[in-house]
Amino acid sequence: MSTPAQGPGTRVRARLDELGLSLPAVAAPVAAYVPAVASGNQVHTSGQLPFVDGALPATGKVGAEVSAERAAELAAVCCLNALAAIEDLIGDLDRVVRIVKLTGYVSSDPSFTAQPAVINGASELLGEVFADAGRHARSAVGVAVLPLDSPVELDLLVELDGPAAPDSASAV
């Protein structure tokens, strides 16, 4: 909960500023879905790719065309995109009381087995932004290919401080 001196909606934004990060505009869906949906006091994001200014900064398989280190950076970008979708839906990331689950997908060369290290890029970001509330359950899955040949994709499940507005579905 924000302190009166900070005002509403500033705690998470201030932390992002301290880290030198900002939330991007919500990425436009590449198919027939919405970026995030609320159900009760939870928000589920759709899979988020590491779009930067509407484009993928890298494509290909992790362990071949993309290094594990670069893929971890891209996982953090995916995470920022997911947080942007959540904020767009609920209006204020200070309403997030817990990151419940992160599911990460890594487009992997057949010999690549360090998917957890790649998805740590997103997990570590959530810990830095939300502290203990950023500790979450997680899956890190190697896959043959992702949309648009993206190296990584992730989705989040977060708990809010109360119910989101009825019929909440982000429409971009």
Side-chain angles (χ1 to χ4, degrees):
M1 188 114 196
S2 298
T3 62
Q6 285 181 311
T10 60
R11 181 179 46 85
V12 172
R13 284 291 188 150
R15 183 64 185 139
L16 287 167
D17 287 345
E18 289 172 14
L19 295 169
L21 301 170
S22 61
L23 294 182
V26 177
V30 297
Y33 61 88
V34 294
V37 174
S39 178
N41 68 335
Q42 295 184 334
V43 174
H44 301 256
T45 69
S46 293
Q48 299 292 317
L49 300 178
F51 285 120
V52 176
D53 297 325
L56 290 175
T59 58
K61 304 271 182 263
V62 180
E65 299 88 0
V66 180
S67 71
E69 296 78 14
R70 178 66 174 135
E73 294 168 359
L74 295 170
V77 172
C78 292
C79 191
L80 289 171
N81 288 339
L83 293 175
I86 293 165
E87 183 181 71
D88 186 61
L89 182 67
I90 65 171
D92 181 358
L93 285 176
D94 286 355
R95 294 195 57 209
V96 173
V97 296
R98 175 159 206 88
I99 306 297
V100 177
K101 175 94 188 256
L102 182 159
T103 304
Y105 306 92
V106 181
S107 180
S108 303
D109 180 81
S111 64
F112 184 76
T113 60
Q115 292 83 6
V118 169
I119 301 306
N120 273 350
S123 291
E124 290 169 0
L125 173 69
L126 292 169
E128 290 174 352
V129 172
F130 292 97
D132 284 343
R135 295 176 49 131
H136 52 273
R138 185 180 92 177
S139 297
V141 181
V143 298
V145 67
L146 288 168
L148 306 176
D149 201 23
S150 176
V152 293
E153 178 178 357
L154 66 77
D155 60 73
L156 291 177
L157 170 61
V158 303
E159 180 183 352
L160 304 177
D161 59 3
D167 299 325
S168 294
S170 184
V172 175

